[in-house]
Amino acid sequence: RRVRQSTVKQMKKQRNYAAFWEWPDKDVKEVGIMKDYLAARDVRQLPRYVKIAAFKPDPPDFVAEDKDGRLTAIELTELVSKEAIEANITASKLEEYVYRDWRKEEVIAAIEERLSDKDGKQFHGGPYSEIHVLIHVDEPVISPSEYGSILEEVPFAPRRQISRAFVWFSPGEYPLVELRLGKHSSSS
């Protein structure tokens, strides 16, 4: 089978930092992430969806249907250092590669930022019974052994639209951590 020239060019541009889920084509990348996410949900024994499909126009990235016919919007986002990606683009020797040395407060702030961004989107389609955000993390120093339990305990700000949020680590066992989103107060 021959590889198209455009695919070869895209692959040459592929980043070499935090690249576990990276793929030259965004749609292919998102489908791969979703397949792996569904497997991680099974490991956590979360309810299965009877149907899931990519959704256009985005957002959401995917729409899932449960056995009762309820729809869940699923939005994907990545926690990665854009600065480290850019700094590694031209690296060719091991000593030229760099990584972001994340601190706990920076990780939490980055997650809050991504949740806030996704919560501010106008979701097409629906109505949705729930909106989920999946934050996939491929940073070498944000490990599940260190951050899994931390992120399970941190209370994140309440969201207007997002009902559940997950952080998913790579590579290895792909631990899936559900974040504790604050509750909205019922007083106005």
Side-chain angles (χ1 to χ4, degrees):
R1 205 173 208 196
R2 298 189 78 201
V3 177
R4 291 190 331 226
Q5 188 64 28
S6 62
T7 304
V8 172
K9 287 179 184 174
Q10 286 176 323
M11 291 179 83
K12 286 181 181 179
K13 292 183 196 174
Q14 186 172 340
R15 72 183 195 212
N16 56 7
Y17 177 82
F20 183 76
W21 281 297
E22 191 57 27
W23 194 255
D25 180 275
K26 183 181 180 212
D27 292 339
V28 172
K29 173 184 177 174
E30 288 180 346
V31 167
I33 290 167
M34 184 54 61
K35 284 177 67 177
D36 289 346
Y37 169 61
L38 294 173
R41 285 179 59 88
D42 285 347
V43 169
R44 291 233 12 214
Q45 299 181 333
L46 294 170
R48 286 187 161 200
Y49 300 118
V50 295
K51 190 182 339 176
I52 188 158
F55 190 84
K56 298 292 180 206
D58 175 8
D61 293 310
F62 291 87
V63 174
E65 183 179 335
D66 70 13
K67 63 181 173 53
D68 298 321
R70 291 184 300 248
L71 298 178
T72 298
I74 303 172
E75 191 58 9
L76 308 177
T77 189
E78 177 178 47
L79 194 160
V80 65
S81 169
K82 297 208 184 303
E83 296 84 7
I85 290 170
E86 303 222 351
N88 285 305
I89 286 174
T90 57
S92 60
K93 295 182 233 160
L94 187 58
E95 59 272 7
E96 294 174 344
Y97 285 95
V98 299
Y99 68 93
R100 166 95 186 254
D101 189 14
W102 292 85
R103 300 198 187 329
K104 177 183 164 187
E105 303 77 32
E106 295 170 326
V107 171
I108 293 167
I111 291 171
E112 286 281 11
E113 179 182 297
R114 281 151 181 82
L115 291 173
S116 180
D117 175 61
K118 295 300 181 182
D119 200 47
K121 303 278 184 188
Q122 180 173 345
F123 289 85
H124 304 286
Y128 298 109
S129 60
E130 291 191 321
I131 296 176
H132 296 181
V133 172
L134 173 62
I135 303 168
H136 52 97
V137 179
D138 193 20
E139 285 283 347
V141 299
I142 305 177
S143 70
S145 60
E146 182 179 352
Y147 281 94
S149 59
I150 291 170
L151 294 177
E152 284 178 329
E153 298 302 319
V154 171
F156 288 88
R159 303 295 165 188
R160 188 174 52 82
Q161 299 184 90
I162 299 170
S163 43
R164 295 176 82 177
F166 300 89
V167 170
W168 189 32
F169 299 92
S170 73
E173 300 165 16
Y174 318 111
L176 183 65
V177 172
E178 184 163 5
L179 302 177
R180 288 181 39 212
L181 299 181
K183 303 295 180 204
H184 290 284
S185 64
S186 55
S187 59
S188 304

